[in-house]
Amino acid sequence: MLFPEAGYALIAGTEAFMRAAVPEGIDEARARFGRYARAMKKRRPYLLGIAAAYPPVHEAWSRPGDVTPGTATAHQTQRGAELRMTAPGTAPTPCGGIPRRLLDAPSPAELERYLLTSATEAWSQPDWVQLRVLAVGRMQSPALTRETRLRWGHLALCAISETARSQTPQQTTADSTRVRAYLILEFGMSDSDAARDLPALCSEILGNLGVPLEAAERLAEDWRSAPGEQMLRLRRIKNMLTPLLPLQALLKKGGPAFQETRDWMKLIPDLP
C-alpha cells in the first residue's frame, strides 16, 4: 500500500489480500474513486489524472454508440435493436441480464416492479453486482429527491442480499453496512425503516465479528507477521466497522450495543 500524495492510496497484493482490501471489487472501487476525483476536482485536480490512469476494466455503456464497433458486444447490441424493431410495442423475451430501459430510467419504480417478477431468476451474480453499483450511485446523487435516493438505497441492499451466496457473511455485512451507514448519515435514523435502524445495524455487525474483542486486540498487536488467513479475518472486521466512523456522534447516545460497537471501533487504526 502506497500513499504517494494526499487524497488517494495505491493498493496491490495477492488475490486474497485484494479481496479483503476491496471486497466490493476492484472495478467498483475504481469507479467510486473516479466519482470522488470528479467531486474533488477543484480542491485536488490531480486526482482526475490518477482516476484516468486506473479506470474500471469492465464498463457499462449508456448508449449503443458507446460500444466499440466490431466487438461481440456491438453485435449483440445491434441484434437486440433488430429484435425490438421486429416486434414494435412489445418487450423481447427475457434471456438473462438487466434490461437496458431499467438501467437508464432515473426513477426506480419500474425496476422495483421488475424485481417482483420471475425474470430475475435468470440473472447471474454479475447482474446483481451491476444493479448494486447502479443503485449506490443513484442513492448518492444530490440531483434526485430524498425519497428517490432512499428507494435506490433499498434496491442496493436488495442486490447485496442476492450476492450473499458468493461471499462470506462478513463481506456481505460490510457491503450492507456501507449502504446503511450512508443512508443514516444522509437521512437520519429511523425505527420504521430497517435500512436506517442503527441499533439493529450495530447488533448485526457485532454478531458477525467472529471473535471476542480481547482476542482481536491480541491478534492485531502483531498482524504484520500473522498468517494470511488471520490478516484476512482482521481486515474483514475493519471493513465492517469502518463505515460507522461518520456516525460516532450518534453512537454516543445509545445503549450497550452502541457502547460495545464504540469499543470495537477503537481498534480500527490497529487493523490491517
Side-chain angles (χ1 to χ4, degrees), residues 63-220:
R63 301 180 304 274
D66 294 338
V67 182
T68 304
T71 63
T73 301
H75 174 74
Q76 292 170 1
T77 302
Q78 178 61 32
R79 179 57 179 157
E82 292 171 355
L83 288 172
R84 287 192 294 274
M85 291 174 64
T86 59
T90 63
T93 302
C95 57
I98 307 176
R100 173 54 59 185
R101 72 178 190 281
L102 301 181
L103 297 176
D104 291 340
S107 169
E110 187 177 0
L111 185 51
E112 289 168 339
R113 291 192 295 269
Y114 192 84
L115 291 177
L116 297 176
T117 72
S118 61
T120 57
E121 295 176 3
W123 286 12
S124 64
Q125 287 292 297
D127 294 325
W128 289 108
V129 172
Q130 183 183 19
L131 174 59
R132 183 189 70 185
V133 173
L134 171 73
V136 168
R138 299 278 173 82
M139 172 190 74
Q140 296 173 331
S141 173
L144 300 177
T145 66
R146 178 182 189 275
E147 179 189 357
T148 300
R149 292 173 67 187
L150 281 168
R151 288 165 66 183
W152 280 113
H154 291 147
L155 285 174
L157 292 172
C158 173
I160 288 169
S161 69
E162 291 292 336
T163 60
R165 295 188 299 274
S166 63
Q167 299 187 128
T168 66
Q170 292 78 18
Q171 288 173 305
T172 301
T173 300
D175 288 343
S176 174
T177 299
R178 291 188 189 94
V179 173
R180 293 167 69 180
Y182 178 87
L183 292 175
I184 293 169
L185 182 65
E186 286 288 303
F187 307 113
M189 295 170 52
S190 173
D191 295 334
S192 60
D193 182 358
R196 293 183 287 140
D197 187 336
L198 185 54
L201 175 57
C202 289
S203 296
E204 183 176 332
I205 293 171
L206 293 171
N208 279 286
L209 292 171
V211 295
L213 177 57
E214 296 76 12
E217 289 173 337
R218 291 194 298 271
L219 293 173

Side-chain angles (χ1 to χ4, degrees), residues 1-2 10-23 26 171 223 228-229 231-232 235-236 239 272:
M1 182 179 295
L2 300 176
L10 298 175
I11 303 175
T14 64
E15 182 178 351
F17 173 79
M18 294 303 293
R19 282 200 306 267
V22 282
I26 294 175
Q171 288 173 305
W223 66 262
E229 182 178 345
M231 291 176 60
L232 187 58
R235 181 66 188 186
R236 286 175 176 166
N239 288 340

Side-chain angles (χ1 to χ4, degrees), residues 1-12 22 29 33 36 47 50 54:
M1 182 179 295
L2 300 176
F3 296 90
E5 52 192 327
Y8 71 99
L10 298 175
I11 303 175
V22 282
F33 180 73
Y36 170 75
L47 293 179
I50 302 301
Y54 298 94

